[in-house]
Amino acid sequence: MADQPEPRRYGRGLFLVTLAGGLSSLAWGKAAWSHVTGVVSPIAGAIAPILPTQGWRIYTVSDHMPTFDPATWQLKVGGLVETPTTLTYAHLRALPRVEQISTFHCVTGWTVPNVHWAGVRLQHIFDLVRPLPEAGALQFVSAEIPYVDYLSMPEAMLHDVMLAYEMDGKPLPREHGAPLRLIIPEMYGYKNVKWLAGINLVPHPEDGYWEQLGYDRDAWVGRSNGYSS
Amino acid sequence: MIKYIPRFSRTERTLHWANALGFLFVLATGLVLYLPSLSVLVARRPLIKDMHFWGGIGWVSLLVLVALLGDRRGLLRTAREIERFDHDRLNVGQKINAILMAAFTILFLVSGLLLWYGERDTRFHFASTVVLHDGLMFAALALFVGHLYLAVLHPATRHSLRGMTLGSVREDWARVHYPQWVSDTEKVPDTRSAR
């Protein structure tokens, strides 16, 4: 009887190809995913209730996610200003409203395009408190203790920096920083402080929560934290 | 009288269940980190993140430990068996599942370590690390669901679960699903159940 042919050993090949594909995807994965996203977005929309909505991940640094009560919430604006002011939620909503559509980039690599924000520009806050000439930066204080971060005055005055109280046509959800968060699309998400409770005008920027752990203070998208695009 | 024949050794079964335990633990904690609805519900991200990270390290360590302390020669024999894409003790689908899960486990570990180190040192930052980690999760979840269906629900195949729990399966069932293996076993008695 003739010998049976030895079965081909494909297993090792499949293992190595899978491993090589996975490791090399560290170089091409994000670009490929951007192409795929456009194709699968209709499917993703259908299963949105069980999947991360439009690609958001919720990052917190403490064991308590702040809650929002419109009756008691306050935004304290002070420091190097002529008129320290405490805004209630009603007062905040009465300020001139602006809207914008911008892309949100997280330093860990995920991106959410075309987010529709509504809120107020910092200039409207400045009109109320009147910064002193020596104010060179803003400290944004989160209700999620101990999260703080800073922007220099020129950064804060970029055309699309805003304090957002609405996201995609609805009041800002709790996990996105209700009722108010900072939005600076040019910088990675960790500068976009959530659950804003206070803004202090200070002489110069300092290291915020993540900067103290080694992240760049100027978190320009694609030009900081080891990225160069 | 029903006759049972040995199918998976004690080391193989221990390795399988250690892998299942580790995978389910990191899947559960990973989903809490990944899904916004669960993130809000649990809200204790730093704790869950630590559990996920150390769970992943524990998962891989457990696999290494079982392999080192168990029947290493038997596992090597199984590895060689899995390499051949023919239908003997395992069918081709089971072999592909095992190979992909082994590769995924290594990739989970590498991408997870990069995410962890990247948070501490930006030299380990890669824009695609999170894409790889998440993509692996979806691929592994699809494999897991298929595996679970065949092992627990599908009437024709669910008897195979007995092989992975008690170590043996009905001979008449094995003759239908793994005729070559039964025939080989009759020629050379299998000693796998011993260790």
Side-chain angles (χ1 to χ4, degrees):
Chain A
M1 191 175 119
D3 284 346
Q4 292 267 330
E6 180 71 10
R8 296 293 295 270
R9 293 179 180 272
Y10 292 113
R12 191 171 301 187
L14 176 63
F15 177 77
L16 292 174
V17 164
T18 308
L19 215 51
L23 292 174
S24 68
S25 77
L26 290 172
W28 51 261
K30 193 175 183 194
W33 179 243
S34 302
H35 290 293
V36 172
T37 307
V39 179
V40 300
S41 59
I43 305 164
I47 53 176
I50 57 163
L51 283 182
T53 311
Q54 298 169 339
W56 288 101
R57 321 288 159 87
I58 306 305
Y59 293 168
T60 54
V61 300
S62 76
D63 282 339
H64 172 70
M65 189 180 284
T67 51
F68 164 54
D69 178 356
T72 58
W73 181 83
Q74 293 180 332
L75 178 71
K76 294 181 177 172
V77 187
L80 299 171
V81 297
E82 285 181 22
T83 316
T85 301
T86 298
L87 293 171
T88 64
Y89 188 61
H91 194 173
L92 175 78
R93 295 298 300 244
L95 291 173
R97 172 192 170 97
V98 291
E99 295 185 22
Q100 71 185 41
I101 294 173
S102 51
T103 297
F104 187 96
H105 298 273
C106 177
V107 72
T108 60
W110 53 269
T111 292
V112 183
N114 304 321
V115 189
H116 191 158
W117 303 105
V120 298
R121 297 280 180 226
L122 282 165
Q123 186 58 54
H124 294 125
I125 305 290
F126 290 168
D127 293 343
L128 293 172
V129 299
R130 294 196 295 278
L132 297 171
E134 56 267 38
L138 295 90
Q139 179 199 43
F140 296 90
V141 182
S142 174
E144 190 199 20
I145 298 165
Y147 205 104
V148 293
D149 215 318
Y150 295 78
L151 292 182
S152 69
M153 198 59 91
E155 289 166 353
M157 289 295 99
L158 288 170
H159 74 283
D160 52 0
V161 172
M162 73 188 308
L163 302 179
Y165 50 64
E166 276 185 19
M167 186 181 122
D168 292 330
K170 293 176 187 161
L172 197 63
R174 182 185 177 204
E175 64 271 26
H176 289 283
L180 192 68
R181 73 175 301 169
L182 174 66
I183 293 298
I184 173 165
E186 286 83 357
M187 291 196 181
Y188 287 117
Y190 67 90
K191 301 294 285 190
N192 296 236
V193 179
K194 295 194 280 190
W195 302 291
L196 271 179
I199 300 173
N200 294 312
L201 282 90
V202 293
H204 48 76
E206 294 178 26
D207 284 342
Y209 179 85
W210 284 108
E211 290 102 289
Q212 288 171 27
L213 296 171
Y215 284 64
D216 290 351
R217 186 184 291 175
D218 291 329
W220 303 111
V221 173
R223 292 183 285 130
S224 65
N225 294 290
Y227 295 125
S228 56
S229 61
Chain B
M1 187 180 157
I2 298 171
K3 189 181 173 193
Y4 290 95
I5 53 174
R7 179 146 173 78
F8 293 114
S9 72
R10 191 172 296 152
T11 300
E12 285 174 323
R13 283 178 283 149
T14 308
L15 195 69
H16 173 273
W17 291 113
N19 189 45
L21 182 74
F23 176 74
L24 287 174
F25 184 83
V26 294
L27 178 68
T29 49
L31 286 175
V32 172
L33 298 174
Y34 183 66
L35 297 173
S37 51
L38 290 179
S39 296
V40 176
L41 198 67
V42 179
R44 303 189 66 182
R45 184 177 176 85
L47 173 69
I48 303 296
K49 202 158 75 170
D50 283 347
M51 287 170 68
H52 185 68
F53 177 77
W54 291 110
I57 299 290
W59 173 23
V60 176
S61 306
L62 197 59
L63 295 181
V64 172
L65 202 67
V66 171
L68 287 177
L69 298 179
D71 176 14
R72 293 192 295 279
R73 197 170 291 176
L75 286 180
L76 281 174
R77 205 164 52 230
T78 305
R80 282 195 293 272
E81 198 180 323
I82 287 172
E83 272 199 84
R84 297 190 310 264
F85 275 14
D86 54 358
H87 186 153
D88 43 29
R89 186 168 66 116
L90 301 168
N91 63 40
V92 177
Q94 288 167 324
K95 291 177 179 183
I96 290 175
N97 180 59
I99 289 163
L100 290 180
M101 274 308 287
F104 287 177
T105 304
I106 294 170
L107 292 170
F108 269 128
L109 182 71
V110 171
S111 55
L113 286 172
L114 284 174
L115 286 173
W116 192 76
Y117 275 118
E119 205 170 281
R120 286 150 184 81
D121 186 335
T122 54
R123 284 177 303 171
F124 295 98
H125 259 162
F126 300 102
S128 298
T129 312
V130 77
V131 176
L132 172 60
H133 207 70
D134 293 354
L136 286 171
M137 184 269 287
F138 281 113
L141 193 59
L143 281 182
F144 174 67
V145 169
H147 181 68
L148 206 62
Y149 170 74
L150 291 170
V152 178
L153 295 177
H154 189 55
T157 54
R158 65 185 175 203
H159 178 66
S160 63
L161 184 61
R162 191 182 195 281
M164 202 44 92
T165 50
L166 300 175
S168 61
V169 291
R170 272 195 341 258
E171 189 190 27
D172 59 324
W173 178 86
R175 273 189 198 286
V176 173
H177 293 275
Y178 302 94
Q180 184 63 47
W181 170 57
V182 175
S183 155
D184 291 347
T185 310
E186 283 167 347
K187 284 180 216 157
V188 183
D190 199 327
T191 56
R192 285 172 198 280
S193 61
R195 286 184 288 183

